[in-house]
Amino acid sequence: MMLSVSLSKPSKNVQEILGREYEKIKIKIKNSADGISYYAEMFTKTQAFHKHFSEKELEDFLLQNEGKSFKNCIKITETEEITSLANKKGEIRVFTKPIRNKAQTDVTSSQNTANLKYFAIPQRQKKYILEEGEPVPFLVLLGIMTPEGKVISSKYDKFRQINRFLEFIKDITPELIKAKKSEASQSPAPVRIVDFGCGKSYLTFAIHYYFTEIKQIPCSIEGLDLKEDVISYCNEIVHKLNLKNIIFRTGNIENYSEEENPDLIITLHACDTATDYALKYAVEKNAKAILSVPCCQHQINQQLDKNKSLLLKNVMEPLLKWGIIKERFSALVTDALRGEWLEKQGYNVQMLEFIDMEHTPKNLMIRAVKKSASKPATKPQNTQETKKAIPKLINELGIAPEIFK
């Protein structure tokens, strides 16, 4: 049902069509005992004229004048705002946008007309797990939010990155809980999480907040990094916020060892083969899920350099001719082999975009969830059978990726 119409930007032949040089026309629905009709105000430079239309008459009027005597026309229905724009050639473009709710009316007794109020839907905003406007203690302390919950403009990319990461955590949480329940004879133990190469631990604190505050799921988190000053900084935040079951330690991924097996291994931007060590540890300890964003895949890039003279003679030549192409190709090969290896170890593997490429080129995430979470832990299966799945790529390039050693 049409609720209102506004016509503007008259064409040169408006007087020829309508009999007067109207500059604009406003039409509104009129409620009466006789049913629906429309009331029009038609304006020239000096005068206003009035006219009444039935529904059929309004339809005919618009058919004759929309885009012809008036170049702009805005029609409001119960569900849409429809804008028609005509150019000099008489071509008409139509744009629509939905209305938030059905038109609301305030009936004025003196005129018995409807004062229509409508609200166009604003551009849809992203629904975040951590919402702006609600103060989150660790985000305030880390300088991402103000105490009132407003995200600091220069930190908005980091805020989006944290929320994007929590979406990945949200996706795998049901699998983690299901696996914990299948292992437990009584009540499930807390979800144990290890973050290799945690850095300043924005995401580590986000995971702790998500499990403990949002989902109310008991968890135990350990962050590991090589930098002592970073670890001291993280433990200071733990102390200031009085957080429980989260600890940070200085250490190397390659040499890390704990008696209790982790449920979730996180490794974000662990450099070069450090990612491989983390993946191997996760598999050996029967981790139920892995989230890994690799970084700086130097090993295969360097191996390709050594084989370049031979490789330039085969089909790989275009991929190795330019340094930047070779670097990206090396990264893709490295992560493809990691994905293949994890699948052979019994994981469902996905390659996902972590954050927009405009923020960092290191945006590929390997997400792996164990197919049978209750299966006993075993050593990674780097057998001849495993290697046969991808012999051509390894042999063709003459490489020895760390993940297959």
Side-chain angles (χ1 to χ4, degrees):
M1 181 192 300
M2 198 71 66
L3 301 178
S4 71
V5 181
S6 296
L7 298 160
S8 60
K9 291 195 175 180
S11 61
K12 293 179 180 179
N13 61 349
V14 64
Q15 185 172 5
E16 180 182 338
I17 297 173
L18 294 175
R20 289 189 175 90
E21 289 189 7
Y22 292 117
E23 293 190 336
K24 61 183 177 181
I25 298 175
K26 292 183 178 181
I27 304 170
K28 295 181 181 181
I29 193 170
K30 181 180 178 181
N31 299 318
S32 68
D34 297 326
I36 296 173
S37 61
Y38 294 88
Y39 173 79
E41 291 180 283
M42 309 167 77
F43 302 90
T44 65
K45 283 186 179 181
T46 58
Q47 291 177 289
F49 299 86
H50 304 96
K51 187 176 178 67
H52 292 273
F53 295 101
S54 66
E55 285 187 274
K56 181 64 170 64
E57 287 170 341
L58 176 60
E59 184 180 331
D60 292 338
F61 180 83
L62 292 177
L63 187 63
Q64 294 171 11
N65 293 280
E66 184 179 355
K68 299 171 184 176
S69 57
F70 289 90
K71 295 178 182 178
N72 288 8
C73 176
I74 300 176
K75 296 179 287 188
I76 305 298
T77 71
E78 292 176 295
T79 58
E80 291 182 309
E81 178 179 305
I82 306 165
T83 301
S84 301
L85 302 175
N87 60 22
K88 293 179 179 179
K89 297 180 180 179
E91 298 169 334
I92 300 174
R93 293 181 297 166
V94 179
F95 306 89
T96 64
K97 63 179 177 180
I99 302 300
R100 178 182 296 170
N101 60 334
K102 290 186 177 182
Q104 301 172 340
T105 61
D106 287 331
V107 179
T108 306
S109 58
S110 60
Q111 296 180 342
N112 195 29
T113 59
N115 179 22
L116 300 174
K117 298 180 180 180
Y118 67 92
F119 303 89
I121 292 180
Q123 186 174 4
R124 191 172 183 179
Q125 294 185 343
K126 171 75 174 177
K127 177 73 173 177
Y128 290 119
I129 293 176
L130 302 180
E131 295 186 31
E132 185 170 10
E134 296 183 12
V136 178
F138 82 90
L139 291 179
V140 174
L141 196 56
L142 289 170
I144 295 175
M145 269 186 176
T146 66
E148 295 73 34
K150 181 176 175 58
V151 177
I152 296 169
S153 58
S154 62
K155 297 291 185 179
Y156 213 90
D157 286 345
K158 178 62 70 175
F159 176 71
R160 289 177 63 243
Q161 182 192 55
I162 291 170
N163 274 287
R164 176 63 172 152
F165 184 73
L166 287 181
E167 289 173 7
F168 291 117
I169 295 292
K170 179 182 178 182
D171 289 344
I172 63 171
T173 297
E175 292 293 331
L176 288 174
I177 301 306
K178 180 180 176 182
K180 295 296 288 184
K181 287 181 178 179
S182 68
E183 291 178 346
S185 57
Q186 297 178 354
S187 60
V191 175
R192 186 164 188 273
I193 302 165
V194 178
D195 186 354
F196 287 127
C198 60
K200 288 188 176 180
S201 302
Y202 293 94
L203 302 181
T204 323
F205 287 115
I207 297 168
H208 185 270
Y209 186 86
Y210 176 77
F211 275 102
T212 60
E213 300 297 327
I214 297 177
K215 303 300 290 184
Q216 301 291 307
I217 296 173
C219 71
S220 172
I221 302 180
E222 181 175 348
L224 187 77
D225 202 277
L226 289 170
K227 299 177 181 177
E228 293 184 5
D229 57 335
V230 168
I231 294 300
S232 296
Y233 173 75
C234 293
N235 280 322
E236 185 179 340
I237 292 175
V238 171
H239 178 72
K240 287 181 179 179
L241 295 176
N242 194 29
L243 302 178
K244 306 297 182 185
N245 300 318
I246 180 169
I247 188 171
F248 296 90
R249 294 178 180 174
T250 305
N252 191 312
I253 297 173
E254 186 177 0
N255 301 322
Y256 180 81
S257 179
E258 285 291 326
E259 290 185 7
E260 190 176 354
N261 288 353
D263 299 300
L264 171 63
I265 291 287
I266 298 165
T267 165
L268 302 180
H269 298 148
C271 190
D272 201 15
T273 55
T275 294
D276 298 303
Y277 297 132
L279 296 180
K280 287 181 178 180
Y281 180 85
V283 170
E284 183 177 345
K285 296 298 182 180
N286 199 37
K288 297 161 186 65
I290 303 165
L291 295 178
S292 177
V293 179
C295 182
C296 307
Q297 297 91 332
H298 296 310
Q299 186 192 50
I300 287 181
N301 193 22
Q302 293 169 352
Q303 291 175 358
L304 289 177
D305 271 338
K306 291 180 181 180
N307 302 335
K308 194 171 182 179
S309 59
L310 295 174
L311 293 171
L312 287 177
K313 297 178 182 179
N314 67 18
V315 295
M316 298 294 177
E317 181 180 358
L319 294 169
L320 305 172
K321 187 175 180 180
W322 295 280
I324 189 170
I325 299 294
K326 181 172 67 67
E327 182 181 348
R328 293 180 183 178
F329 173 65
S330 300
L332 291 173
V333 168
T334 303
D335 292 334
L337 293 176
R338 286 166 174 164
E340 289 284 339
W341 183 83
L342 284 168
E343 284 188 340
K344 294 301 176 182
Q345 310 304 324
Y347 287 81
N348 286 316
V349 178
Q350 292 175 289
M351 298 288 174
L352 305 167
E353 184 181 70
F354 178 31
I355 53 175
D356 294 339
M357 183 68 81
E358 62 183 280
H359 301 302
T360 173
K362 309 295 184 181
N363 73 334
L364 184 148
M365 172 178 279
I366 302 173
R367 181 167 71 187
V369 178
K370 198 165 183 62
K371 294 177 184 177
S372 178
S374 59
K375 183 180 178 181
T378 58
K379 288 284 185 180
Q381 300 298 305
N382 274 342
T383 62
Q384 279 302 120
E385 184 178 350
T386 304
K387 293 180 181 180
K388 282 180 183 177
I390 47 171
K392 287 186 178 180
L393 183 57
I394 292 176
N395 294 334
E396 191 73 27
L397 295 176
I399 57 177
E402 180 63 37
I403 199 70
F404 276 86
K405 291 182 180 178

